[in-house]
C-alpha cells in the first residue's frame, strides 16, 4: 500500500502536471467510487486545480469550493489517463480537465484499482473544513510532524502493541505496514512492546526514527517519474527476511499475520529473542 512518502511525492507530481488546469467533469466509473452525495462534484466544474495535497495516506485534489479526497487503498493508483478508453481496466473514476489549447488534447486523471477488493474511493467535501469532514476528521496527527510530547500522550491514551499503534491511522496518520517495520528497526524497539511502557523517552526515539524513515522514502520517491511499487522502496527490514541486518549483521526475521508481515532484527530490537508465530500469537489477544 502506498504510505506517506509515496502519496506525498505523488501529490507533488500531480500538482506539477495538473495545477491550474480547469476541471471539466468528474466521472465515476463504478457505483461505489464516489462515497458522498453532497456537495456535488459539479461544484468544481470550470474551477482551476489549486493543488493536489495530502493528509495521512489520502490525496486531496483541491479546487475551490470543493476538494476530492482520494484513497488508493491497497492496489489503487491515480494516473495520467492518455487513452480515455470507455471501459478502462480497474477504472474507478476519472477527472477530465478542459482541453489544452496548445496541444488540443484532453488532460485526464484516472483512478484505477487492481485486484478484487474495490475499496479505493473518492469523497467530495467542502474545501473549507475538508480536514474536519469524513474521512479525514478521525485521523491522528501527521507522522512527519508529530512532536514527542504529543506522541507520548497518545501512547498513554492507547495501550497497545507499538506496531499496531503505528499502523492505526486514528493514532498517527501516514504510516502503514512497511514504514512501521522500518521505524521500529531504526528506533531499536520491539514491534510488540506496549505503548504504555514507552513514555517520553520512547516517544522521542519513535519520532526520530519516523522522521528518518519518512525522509528516506521521500527522497527516493521524489526522484522517480511515477509511484513506486512496494518491492522497489528503500528499507532495512521490510521484505528482507533472511537477509543480514545492515546495522548488526544478524538475520532479519519475519512474523506473518493475515494481511501483513512484521519484520525485525532480533539483535537490534528484541534483545536477541526470535519471535516464532506460536509465541507471538499471545500478543494478539
Ligand atoms: Zn540488527
Amino acid at each position: 500500500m502506498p504510505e506517506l512518502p509515496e502519496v506525498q511525492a505523488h501529490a507533488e507530481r500531480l500538482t506539477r502536471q495538473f495545477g491550474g488546469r480547469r476541471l471539466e467533469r468528474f466521472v465515476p466509473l463504478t457505483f461505489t467510487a464516489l462515497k458522498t452525495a453532497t456537495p456535488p462534484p459539479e461544484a468544481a466544474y470550470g474551477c482551476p486545480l489549486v493543488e493536489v495535497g495530502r493528509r495521512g495516506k489520502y490525496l486531496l485534489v483541491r479546487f475551490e469550493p470543493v476538494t476530492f479526497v482520494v484513497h488508493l487503498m491497497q492496489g489503487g493508483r491515480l494516473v495520467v489517463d492518455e487513452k480515455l478508453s470507455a471501459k478502462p481496466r480497474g477504472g474507478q473514476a476519472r477527472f477530465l480537465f478542459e482541453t489544452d489549447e496548445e496541444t488540443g488534447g484532453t488532460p485526464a486523471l484516472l483512478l484505477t484499482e487492481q485486484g478484487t477488493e474495490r475499496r479505493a474511493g473518492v469523497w467530495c467535501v467542502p474545501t473549507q473544513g475538508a480536514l474536519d469532514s469524513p474521512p479525514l476528521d478521525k485521523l491522528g496527527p501527521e507522522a512527519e510532524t508529530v512532536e514527542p510530547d504529543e506522541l507520548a500522550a497518545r501512547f498513554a491514551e492507547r495501550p497497545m502493541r507499538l506496531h499496531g499503534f503505528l499502523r492505526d491511522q486514528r493514532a498517527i496518520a501516514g504510516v502503514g505496514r512497511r514504514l512501521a517495520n522500518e521505524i521500529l528497526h531504526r528506533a531499536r524497539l520491539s514491534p510488540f512492546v506496549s505503548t504504555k511502557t514507552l513514555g517520553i523517552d520512547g516517544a522521542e526515539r519513535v519520532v526520530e526514527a519516523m522522521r528518518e524513515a519518512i525522509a528516506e522514502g521521500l527522497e527516493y520517491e521524489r526522484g522517480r517519474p511515477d509511484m513506486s511499487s512496494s518491492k522497489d522502496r528503500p528499507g532495512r527490514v521490510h521484505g528482507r527476511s533472511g537477509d543480514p541486518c545492515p546495522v548488526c549483521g544478524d538475520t532479519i526475521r519475519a512474523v506473518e499475520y493475515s494481511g501483513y508481515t512484521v519484520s525485525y532484527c532480533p539483535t537490534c530490537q528484541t534483545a536477541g529473542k526470535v519471535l516464532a508465530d506460536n509465541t507471538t500469537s499471545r500478543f494478539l489477544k
Side-chain angles (χ1 to χ4, degrees):
M1 181 182 292
E3 301 176 30
L4 189 158
E6 293 79 45
V7 177
Q8 176 64 33
H10 197 51
E12 293 167 7
R13 220 175 270 137
L14 293 174
T15 299
R16 285 196 297 275
Q17 291 172 311
F18 286 83
R21 292 193 182 279
R22 289 177 187 280
L23 186 68
E24 187 173 286
R25 252 181 327 137
F26 171 79
V27 186
L29 300 169
T30 65
F31 289 113
T32 54
L34 182 62
K35 312 286 187 191
T36 47
T38 58
E42 288 82 352
Y45 291 5
C47 300
L49 177 67
V50 177
E51 65 160 6
V52 179
R54 179 193 61 78
R55 172 82 172 98
K57 299 186 214 168
Y58 293 87
L59 288 164
L60 311 182
V61 183
R62 191 152 72 83
F63 301 89
E64 289 289 349
V66 294
T67 292
F68 296 86
V69 179
V70 179
H71 201 302
L72 302 173
M73 297 306 295
Q74 185 67 25
R77 293 288 183 271
L78 186 63
V79 294
V80 178
D81 185 13
E82 277 157 2
K83 294 184 191 156
L84 297 175
S85 57
K87 285 189 180 169
R89 191 165 159 267
Q92 298 292 301
R94 182 180 269 144
F95 296 87
L96 287 161
F97 292 84
E98 290 181 0
T99 304
D100 189 321
E101 286 174 14
E102 280 175 36
T103 65
T106 306
L109 285 171
L110 180 67
L111 175 64
T112 66
E113 186 177 20
Q114 305 308 328
T116 53
E117 283 196 66
R118 295 283 174 267
R119 291 167 64 210
V122 180
W123 292 254
C124 187
V125 303
T127 293
Q128 299 299 324
L131 299 182
D132 300 319
S133 306
L136 306 178
D137 57 340
K138 300 285 195 301
L139 294 177
E142 285 288 320
E144 201 182 8
T145 50
V146 68
E147 295 290 341
D149 50 355
E150 185 176 6
L151 190 61
R154 293 200 158 239
F155 282 164
E157 274 167 25
R158 294 166 188 263
M160 60 195 289
R161 293 177 303 143
L162 183 52
H163 198 278
F165 177 96
L166 291 173
R167 295 194 328 275
D168 182 346
Q169 301 304 297
R170 292 161 301 177
I172 186 110
V175 175
R177 305 159 193 180
R178 191 188 74 82
L179 270 181
N181 285 327
E182 297 300 327
I183 291 164
L184 288 163
H185 181 258
R186 284 172 186 269
R188 303 177 72 90
L189 288 168
S190 166
F192 303 109
V193 69
S194 170
T195 51
K196 75 173 177 228
T197 66
L198 289 171
I200 187 68
D201 291 349
E204 279 170 0
R205 276 164 80 170
V206 172
V207 163
E208 192 185 344
M210 200 147 57
R211 289 181 187 170
E212 284 178 16
I214 290 169
E216 180 188 62
L218 272 173
E219 188 185 355
Y220 171 74
E221 204 67 26
R222 282 175 173 150
R224 294 179 54 101
D226 55 5
M227 191 184 276
S228 63
S229 57
S230 51
K231 63 176 176 10
D232 297 327
R233 291 169 197 157
R236 301 177 177 186
V237 288
H238 186 79
R240 291 173 196 267
S241 175
D243 289 357
C245 169
V247 173
C248 73
D250 193 0
T251 304
I252 302 295
R253 308 285 180 153
V255 185
E256 302 282 342
Y257 295 101
S258 64
Y260 68 101
T261 304
V262 172
S263 308
Y264 67 100
C265 168
T267 297
C268 291
Q269 296 176 256
T270 57
K273 211 167 117 195
V274 173
L275 310 164
D277 286 314
N278 59 355
T279 58
T280 53
S281 59
R282 66 195 160 90
F283 289 99
L284 287 173
K285 287 174 185 166

